[in-house]
Amino acid sequence: MMKLATFAALVGSAAAFAPAQTGRVATAVSESKADLEVLAKKLNPVVGFYDPLNLAEAEFWGQSNEATIGFLRHSEIKHGRIAMFAFVGYIVHANGIKFPWAMQMDGTPFPDANGNPPELWDSVSDDAKWQIFGLIAFLEFWSELSTPNHKHYMAGGKPGDFPDFVSGPEGIPHPVPFNLYDPFKLSKNMSEEKKESRLRAELNNGRAAMLGIFGFLSEQCAEGSVPLLKGVVPHYDGEPMAPFVTNYLGSAWGLN
């Protein structure tokens, strides 16, 4: 998944698929199975509530059912956002669209890889990848913060809510002019009904994107597995889930 996320990290801003109801929104949070059933019908009246593994009744790590549902909701929203970035990034790179300036200080340009996004990622230097992973790690750390102004999603907070970048003694030690969500505050005067409808759209788009990006990769690695994409995407011989071409952990035991 790290490899998929970084496709789109090279293009666009983090607000491209920003959620409709994070930040300081009063939209209700689904915290029980009954709430999830209502939400499911709004998202897809045909399929409705579908939970064959009964995850909505689980209690992970000894936590309450409400906390578990908060974890599952946050996980789906986050995976959907990453998949949307990956899906759009895949299409961008498959069409050879890239920044015209150098990617690295030594003048190395952004790679092309003849329209094969996984091969494009493989051609990026490890130094550049570590910088990308460093940013991802920071965003992940920041998203897990629980403060008086931002409750954790497993403790009554809003699933999918990304905390603002707060400057000062209890935050980032330098000014941060823009937040990850809604950096230009375009949703400030948006109605609650509009925010709720945009959240539902984000969830549906995220689910579609998860299927879409794995459809691309499945056809690339196992030709014919997705008939609609046969001949559309190029073959890929690598490992799409490996962040590095070199298996640094496995090399210690003689594995490639």
Side-chain angles (χ1 to χ4, degrees):
M1 185 59 71
M2 296 289 279
K3 176 178 288 189
L4 306 183
T6 52
F7 290 156
L10 300 177
V11 293
S13 74
F17 290 104
Q21 73 64 286
T22 58
R24 314 293 81 87
V25 180
T27 303
V29 179
S30 299
E31 295 181 341
S32 70
K33 182 178 179 179
D35 293 324
L36 295 180
E37 291 173 346
V38 173
L39 177 62
K41 293 296 289 185
K42 293 180 179 179
L43 291 171
N44 191 321
V46 177
V47 176
F49 183 72
Y50 183 70
D51 182 23
L53 299 180
N54 292 321
L55 294 178
E57 298 177 3
E59 295 182 353
F60 292 172
W61 309 294
Q63 300 292 318
S64 67
N65 178 247
E66 290 78 9
T68 300
I69 289 177
F71 170 82
L72 294 171
R73 292 264 288 125
H74 186 82
S75 179
E76 180 186 24
I77 292 171
K78 182 161 62 173
H79 280 80
R81 291 172 183 166
I82 294 300
M84 286 188 281
F85 274 116
F87 185 83
V88 173
Y90 185 103
I91 293 174
V92 167
H93 292 301
N95 285 278
I97 302 172
K98 59 181 181 178
F99 294 121
W101 52 80
M103 182 180 70
Q104 298 186 178
M105 297 296 291
D106 61 4
T108 302
F110 283 92
D112 188 290
N114 297 317
N116 193 325
E119 288 187 1
L120 181 150
W121 171 257
D122 291 341
S123 66
V124 174
S125 70
D126 286 358
D127 289 341
K129 290 177 181 178
W130 280 118
Q131 292 179 55
I132 295 171
F133 295 150
L135 173 61
I136 293 173
F138 166 75
L139 294 177
E140 183 71 11
F141 161 78
W142 193 262
S143 71
E144 292 293 323
L145 290 179
S146 182
T147 68
N149 296 322
H150 179 265
K151 290 185 178 180
H152 194 269
Y153 50 84
M154 293 184 69
K158 299 181 180 69
D161 183 20
F162 194 92
D164 291 343
F165 293 130
V166 180
S167 301
E170 298 182 357
I172 300 175
H174 58 77
V176 180
F178 301 108
N179 288 310
L180 186 63
Y181 167 70
D182 195 16
F184 303 109
K185 303 187 183 303
L186 300 178
S187 65
K188 182 178 180 180
N189 298 318
M190 189 180 298
S191 68
E192 294 302 315
E193 292 76 13
K194 183 65 174 179
K195 292 174 182 176
E196 185 176 355
S197 68
R198 288 185 61 189
L199 173 60
R200 293 198 297 269
E202 181 193 30
L203 287 167
N204 279 329
N205 289 336
R207 292 173 179 178
M210 285 188 274
L211 294 173
I213 188 61
F214 275 100
F216 282 148
L217 295 177
S218 295
E219 178 60 27
Q220 283 198 266
C221 296
E223 294 183 25
S225 60
V226 185
L228 290 176
L229 294 176
K230 187 175 182 179
V232 177
V233 296
H235 180 71
Y236 176 61
D237 290 322
E239 173 49 66
M241 294 299 161
F244 298 101
V245 176
T246 301
N247 186 352
Y248 290 108
L249 293 178
S251 60
W253 288 271
L255 301 176
N256 295 323

